[in-house]
Amino acid sequence: MFVPCGDSAPNLKGFTLLMPAVSVGNVGQLAIDLIISTLDMCKIGYFYTDCLVPMVGNDPYATAEENSTELSINAEVYSLPSKKLVVLQIRSIFIKFKSKSFCEKLLSWVKNSDFAKVIVLSSSHSSHCDDLQLGGTPFRYLYTPSMQKNVQNKIKSLNWREMESSPCIPEIEDSEPCIRIPGGGITKTLYDESCSKEIPMVILLKFVSEGDNIPDALDLVEYLNEWLYIIKRSCEDNHTRSALRWKIPSSWRLLFGSGLPPALF
């Protein structure tokens, strides 16, 4: 499934894998874009899979005319060895009934690569929040049992809120409680499969609505940065100043299209 750019697969043992879930508002994917762009990560390979809708386009992180013609596809892998960080970016939706197959193949690669941990950036419909979730922070986390002893103390010190259980059938209050992530795409499947396969995984998500979700992506990477310190933080940072530290990819100029043609008027 993973195809390296070079002649041999890189040694990723002990690295942290960051990846998005294709979820409401594409918040996870936008957040991953910010991380790749800001850290100027190098592409080390791609995923060859029939589970995603095929796509090809120009390099979304091009910084000059010379590399603007390089091509990108639907699932690519980037790395920053100095931080022992690997990032998988997913750029298209799943083909119907193939998302579970993708999760199984992905987690098999995770096992074979011997990653230290996997962090999934995701989002969930704010319109589906219950009364308890409507109060306080819109951010939530989940971690698998094999990850608990590694992050429990750190997360407690950050005062983060764990994703609450809610009735499996929302219309029936007495139904068995479970973790529900409406609009979260493969988030729940990845979490369940990682629990059963004893893969150390953390899910970080935000409750959002569809629209201009760039502010949500900036919020999510700041949330992640509280834990991983991907870029330097200052105790004096306010939201505006910290947002300026993240490098906006060149492809975001066309995030909402190329504008209205003057001939229209």
Side-chain angles (χ1 to χ4, degrees):
M1 192 177 188
F2 172 70
V3 181
C5 288
D7 296 329
S8 59
N11 181 8
L12 303 176
K13 182 178 180 179
F15 278 56
T16 293
L17 173 64
L18 268 174
M19 63 168 289
V22 182
S23 52
V24 56
N26 305 106
V27 176
Q29 294 157 289
L30 293 172
I32 291 294
D33 263 355
L34 287 168
I35 292 167
I36 295 171
S37 183
T38 302
L39 298 179
D40 195 21
M41 300 181 79
C42 294
K43 183 159 60 178
I44 60 169
Y46 60 93
F47 269 27
Y48 182 75
T49 174
D50 62 352
C51 300
L52 291 164
V53 172
M55 64 139 286
V56 66
N58 286 49
D59 183 357
Y61 314 114
T63 54
E65 193 173 337
E66 296 79 48
N67 60 3
S68 63
T69 55
E70 293 179 11
L71 296 180
S72 292
I73 61 170
N74 52 13
E76 296 184 319
V77 181
Y78 298 78
S79 175
L80 187 63
S82 62
K83 289 185 178 288
K84 299 206 81 172
L85 192 64
V86 170
V87 170
L88 165 65
Q89 177 62 299
I90 301 172
R91 298 193 178 97
S92 69
I93 59 174
F94 291 98
I95 292 173
K96 196 172 185 180
F97 304 125
K98 290 205 170 185
S99 58
K100 187 173 175 60
S101 174
F102 178 85
C103 291
E104 290 171 351
K105 292 173 182 176
L106 171 69
L107 294 179
S108 175
W109 176 60
V110 168
K111 278 274 193 183
N112 293 335
S113 299
D114 201 11
F115 286 114
K117 59 182 174 291
V118 181
I119 301 172
V120 179
L121 302 183
S122 184
S123 53
S124 182
H125 281 297
S126 57
S127 58
H128 287 250
C129 290
D130 58 27
D131 291 345
L132 184 62
Q133 293 170 335
L134 286 172
T137 176
F139 298 101
R140 294 295 187 274
Y141 74 88
L142 277 172
Y143 52 68
T144 57
S146 56
M147 192 69 193
Q148 182 172 354
K149 64 181 180 182
N150 295 327
V151 299
Q152 190 175 35
N153 292 336
K154 177 61 177 177
I155 285 179
K156 278 185 177 179
S157 70
L158 292 170
N159 293 316
W160 285 0
R161 284 180 63 176
E162 190 170 3
M163 188 67 175
E164 300 88 351
S165 296
S166 59
C168 287
I169 306 174
E171 295 78 14
I172 304 175
E173 291 186 7
D174 295 335
S175 65
E176 187 177 342
C178 65
I179 299 295
R180 296 177 59 253
I181 309 176
I186 61 171
T187 308
K188 184 64 164 50
T189 303
L190 281 174
Y191 174 74
D192 290 341
E193 290 291 317
S194 296
C195 286
S196 63
K197 298 179 188 300
E198 298 184 348
I199 291 173
M201 176 178 287
V202 178
I203 311 285
L204 302 182
L205 64 84
K206 186 183 181 188
F207 297 126
V208 304
S209 299
E210 290 275 9
D212 180 357
N213 295 102
I214 290 175
D216 296 311
L218 287 164
D219 287 344
L220 192 57
V221 289
E222 282 294 328
Y223 183 60
L224 171 68
N225 203 48
E226 288 181 30
W227 171 30
L228 285 194
Y229 305 116
I230 293 174
I231 60 176
K232 288 183 180 179
R233 301 181 71 247
S234 167
C235 58
E236 296 154 355
D237 277 348
N238 58 36
H239 181 76
T240 304
R241 192 181 308 133
S242 59
L244 292 173
R245 296 174 306 156
W246 298 97
K247 183 180 176 183
I248 304 298
S250 56
S251 56
W252 282 22
R253 289 176 297 179
L254 301 176
L255 202 58
F256 297 103
S258 55
L260 298 172
L264 192 65
F265 306 100

